[in-house]
Amino acid sequence: MELALYHPEVGYYATTRPRIGRDRSADFYTATSLGSVFGELVAAAAVELIKPATPGQFIFVEVGAERMGTGAEQSARGILDEVAHPFHAVRKIALGESLQTGFVADGPAIVFSNELFDAQPCHRLVWRAGNWREMGVALREGILVDVELPELSPPIAAIRRELPPTSVEGYRLDLPLASRTLLRQLVAAPWPGLFLAFDYGKPWESLSTETPQGTVRAYFRHQQSAAVLDRPGEQDLTCHICWDWLAADLESCGFAKPVVESQEAFFARRAAGPLAAMLTADASRLTARKQAIMQLLHPANMGHKFQVISALRK
């Protein structure tokens, strides 16, 4: 999964073709595809969450920004590119860019991401004959196939006691361990401020008991598929994150108790004023901005599919 997504030459996120958008050549669309509305609401919610602090003291760091262009002309596109905001500065770290060279937070920061953690590699386990077995990938006669590994890899062996003691035969458990590694990188430096991530995930109880087919899936030309070994490097691969893990890691790094809520509830609570103003301005018309709001908030669209985790550190 790491090779398919992040290989520097042939990985999915190394290619220059458009991946995000509504046209048929893209593979999926996100909240960033809906114009400036998403950025406006995120900025308003962030200001609300850091109160009574002054927004002008904070740098807004977007991690996982989409790369645009090719070669020397390549740049990262951020959600605040076309949004008037009150922050001291904005920094963008493109998806796949090294955090060692791209991430600097030596003062108050708002560290934001959208659909970043689900784009990290994971480990797949299967319950077989009373034990958890780890799955791998093999190349046989030119075809990639799933295989059961003879023993657990070191990262899985290290958390063996945390795994469910029993399960249903054939249950697939996809463990998003790389998302935890990424989070720890982001919050390792003791910057004060707000951690804010939009993504889709589940609590540990749900992942370990309610998703028997696992959560890894592929997206190609707006079609979701379980054929995750097809088209390596040409299709997106995602895995649900574990909200309980990320919340625990944030608290262990000095953040106050994180809050996880649906995207709909988050904007309704944290950006109520700007949201009401947007809807009032377009009350008599079905504008592109109103349609964007409906996509972001309606439970049948992105409102419940995506969740938001927020946490503050002094």
Side-chain angles (χ1 to χ4, degrees):
M1 191 169 176
E2 183 166 354
L3 287 171
L5 292 177
Y6 294 107
H7 187 281
E9 295 179 2
V10 297
Y12 180 75
Y13 287 112
T15 61
T16 57
R17 75 171 180 84
R19 295 179 293 272
I20 300 176
R22 292 178 174 274
D23 58 278
R24 294 181 178 180
S25 64
D27 297 318
F28 56 91
Y29 68 89
T30 71
T32 60
S33 310
L34 301 174
S36 65
V37 171
F38 182 59
E40 293 173 34
L41 292 176
V42 168
V47 170
E48 181 68 23
L49 285 167
I50 63 174
K51 283 182 176 179
T54 303
Q57 300 174 334
F58 288 75
I59 181 172
F60 186 96
V61 183
E62 180 176 354
V63 186
E66 178 71 3
R67 294 179 186 270
M68 304 295 292
T70 59
E73 302 298 320
Q74 194 174 77
S75 61
R77 180 181 64 184
I79 66 163
L80 299 186
D81 284 355
E82 300 176 3
V83 174
H85 63 80
F87 308 117
H88 169 65
V90 173
R91 180 175 295 125
K92 294 172 288 187
I93 302 173
L95 189 61
E97 183 178 345
S98 171
L99 294 178
Q100 283 69 34
T101 58
F103 183 74
V104 178
D106 53 5
I110 296 166
V111 177
F112 162 84
S113 68
N114 180 57
E115 294 193 59
L116 171 66
F117 291 94
D118 70 80
Q120 306 307 308
C122 73
H123 293 254
R124 167 163 283 182
L125 305 183
V126 61
W127 182 260
R128 191 82 71 203
N131 288 289
W132 287 111
R133 302 290 300 274
E134 187 167 3
M135 302 296 295
V137 179
L139 184 65
R140 293 179 176 169
E141 298 181 358
I143 299 175
L144 294 175
V145 295
D146 289 315
V147 294
E148 291 186 17
L149 302 179
E151 58 185 21
L152 300 178
S153 63
I156 301 301
I159 63 167
R160 179 65 181 85
R161 293 183 179 181
E162 301 177 32
L163 300 176
T166 186
S167 189
V168 178
E169 184 71 13
Y171 192 98
R172 292 182 176 183
L173 180 58
D174 293 327
L175 300 178
L177 294 183
S179 66
R180 303 189 75 174
T181 302
L182 175 60
L183 175 68
R184 291 164 182 164
Q185 287 181 298
L186 292 174
V187 302
W191 50 265
L194 173 67
F195 179 87
L196 183 62
F198 289 66
D199 227 308
Y200 48 81
K202 296 178 181 293
W204 174 244
E205 179 70 18
S206 179
L207 287 175
S208 59
T209 63
E210 299 173 5
T211 56
Q213 297 304 312
T215 66
V216 175
R217 56 186 180 273
Y219 283 94
F220 183 75
R221 301 294 190 267
H222 297 283
Q223 295 295 315
Q224 179 181 318
S225 169
V228 298
L229 300 185
D230 292 356
R231 306 187 184 94
E234 298 179 10
Q235 63 180 358
D236 187 30
L237 300 176
T238 73
C239 173
H240 275 59
I241 61 177
C242 179
W243 291 120
D244 295 334
W245 287 1
L246 297 194
D249 289 343
L250 285 168
E251 286 194 79
S252 71
C253 291
F255 285 81
K257 188 173 180 61
V259 176
V260 178
E261 53 198 326
S262 69
Q263 183 168 290
E264 175 192 22
F266 176 81
F267 282 135
R269 293 169 181 166
R270 320 297 179 183
L275 183 59
M278 291 179 187
L279 294 173
T280 299
D282 296 331
S284 61
R285 301 173 296 161
L286 183 60
T287 63
R289 287 174 64 83
K290 182 180 286 187
Q291 289 179 310
I293 292 171
M294 292 173 61
Q295 284 287 330
L296 290 170
L297 271 67
H298 197 284
N301 296 318
M302 296 181 177
H304 278 185
K305 177 181 179 182
F306 291 92
Q307 297 85 48
V308 185
I309 187 170
S310 59
L312 288 164
R313 179 168 62 181
K314 294 183 179 180

